[in-house]
């Protein structure tokens, strides 16, 4: 069903018969990096809780019996995250390959002069690419540029 209609948020159990929730998460991320994940489990462990968030990018890790309010809040947060991620990626599609390279280096904190040297371009050309990135994505601040660069990564 997922292949037909992408989801904004998927709630998955950590322990399932054919594959665990983490293997499922990896497969899902290969298909769609913009779907958020909420993990649930009947046998919570600290390691799984940490992995579900840090390694597999989950929105939440909820022990059973489920707290319905917490689950609903996690799904709402997941849908918002997914919508934001899809919007960021749509903005990135408008960028040229060179603009993406410049954006990636900006996101790593490099200055125009450093980027020019790394790419073998003039500072003026980097400034032009930076202006195009701002124009095409609407990112006005360095923090917005860094957020876009992270989405690119």
């Amino acid at each position: 069903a997922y292949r037909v209609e992408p989801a904004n948020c998927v709630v998955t159990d950590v322990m399932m018969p054919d594959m665990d929730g983490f293997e499922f998460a990896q497969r899902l991320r290969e298909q769609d990096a913009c779907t958020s994940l909420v993990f649930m489990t009947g046998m919570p462990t600290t390691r799984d809780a940490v992995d579900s968030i840090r390694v597999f990018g989950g929105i939440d890790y909820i022990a059973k019996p489920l707290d319905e309010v917490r689950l609903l809040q996690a799904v709402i947060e997941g849908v918002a995250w997914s919508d934001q991620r899809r919007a960021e990626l749509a903005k990135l599609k408008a960028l040229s390959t060179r603009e993406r390279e410049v954006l990636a280096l900006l996101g790593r904190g490099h200055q125009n002069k450093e980027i020019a040297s790394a790419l073998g371009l003039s500072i003026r050309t980097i400034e032009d690419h930076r202006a195009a990135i701002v124009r095409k994505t609407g990112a006005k601040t360095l923090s917005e540029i860094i957020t876009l660069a992270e989405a690119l990564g």
Side-chain angles (χ1 to χ4, degrees), residues 92-112:
L92 293 174
K93 286 182 182 179
L95 300 179
S96 69
T97 302
R98 181 63 81 184
E99 290 164 350
R100 288 180 188 181
E101 290 173 335
V102 171
L103 176 61
L105 292 169
L106 285 169
R108 291 187 201 119
H110 295 283
Q111 300 296 319
N112 289 351

Side-chain angles (χ1 to χ4, degrees), residues 84-151:
Q84 179 182 355
R85 178 103 170 132
R86 289 184 199 286
E88 289 168 352
L89 290 178
K91 291 177 183 179
L92 293 174
K93 286 182 182 179
L95 300 179
S96 69
T97 302
R98 181 63 81 184
E99 290 164 350
R100 288 180 188 181
E101 290 173 335
V102 171
L103 176 61
L105 292 169
L106 285 169
R108 291 187 201 119
H110 295 283
Q111 300 296 319
N112 289 351
K113 184 177 181 179
E114 296 169 318
I115 297 169
S117 177
L119 298 178
L121 301 171
S122 71
I123 294 173
R124 178 67 186 148
T125 300
I126 298 304
E127 290 170 350
D128 290 344
H129 285 308
R130 191 170 177 159
I133 291 166
V134 169
R135 186 178 66 254
K136 291 178 179 180
T137 65
K140 293 178 179 37
T141 66
L142 184 57
S143 65
E144 290 173 330
I145 288 173
I146 290 170
T147 299
L148 283 173
E150 289 171 351

Side-chain angles (χ1 to χ4, degrees), residues 67-85:
D67 175 341
E68 292 177 13
V69 172
R70 181 174 172 181
L71 176 61
L72 182 59
Q73 289 171 338
V75 170
I76 289 168
E77 181 182 339
V79 169
W81 177 89
S82 179
D83 286 344
Q84 179 182 355
R85 178 103 170 132

Side-chain angles (χ1 to χ4, degrees), residues 54-75:
R54 293 188 72 197
V55 176
F56 301 102
I59 296 295
D60 206 343
Y61 177 85
I62 305 172
K64 295 177 185 177
L66 297 176
D67 175 341
E68 292 177 13
V69 172
R70 181 174 172 181
L71 176 61
L72 182 59
Q73 289 171 338
V75 170

Side-chain angles (χ1 to χ4, degrees), residues 4-26:
V4 174
E5 190 67 36
N8 282 359
C9 184
V10 172
V11 178
T12 184
D13 205 322
V14 172
M15 301 181 86
M16 299 185 289
D18 295 331
M19 74 175 83
D20 68 29
F22 299 134
E23 182 182 347
F24 170 76
Q26 287 176 319

